[in-house]
Amino acid sequence: ACSQARCKICWILILFVRRRKPSVTCIVYPFASGVHYRQFYWSEKEIMIPVFQHLHQALQKFPEVDTVVNFASSRSAYEATLQFLEHPQIRNIAIIAEGVPEKHTRHLIQQARTQGVNIIGPATVGGIKPGCFRIGNTGGMLDNIIASKLYRPGSVAYVSRSGGLSNELN
């Protein structure tokens, strides 16, 4: 049996997760051997997300994709981001890696600005606009997003250069 508090949480989850399909379209992994699929869970069902070896393959298959989360290490984040910037359909890039040299970061920001591309990072946990989008790990796990009511639009925002501080505020 479900307690009333538990039922309320279930109801909030149903309201919060309205998407019919996940926001992750595909994965690009340069060390993959050809195109294959990885198993994930979306709500209560199993889904298969395609994994591509090359970015151009993924963008050709999914021309509607305009946002990339770059999980490359600090050693390869710069080169990977330059590669993303070669594709005009990419409009938003989140760079998770810490330790990207400042001169590389400045160059990426300048290049992105001239192309009208938004960059979040490097060294970011992501970003969140309540009621609109979440990219990266911002806001923590789903239970924290619900408990903090970060799924509702509002009039308050904060910006932080510290992932730890972001997590504390959530």
Side-chain angles (χ1 to χ4, degrees), residues 43-101:
S43 185
E44 297 174 351
K45 64 182 180 179
E46 179 181 314
I47 61 168
M48 303 300 281
I49 304 272
V51 179
F52 296 92
Q53 187 175 14
H54 302 286
L55 178 62
H56 69 87
Q57 295 171 311
L59 295 177
Q60 186 174 10
K61 176 74 175 175
F62 299 102
E64 72 281 6
V65 168
D66 67 353
T67 302
V68 176
V69 180
N70 182 352
F71 286 101
S73 72
S74 61
R75 292 185 312 270
S76 57
Y78 174 71
E79 289 81 11
T81 305
L82 287 175
Q83 185 181 8
F84 297 145
L85 290 169
E86 292 174 7
H87 299 275
Q89 79 187 62
I90 301 298
R91 308 309 307 152
N92 307 289
I93 304 169
I95 307 169
I96 305 300
E98 293 183 16
V100 175

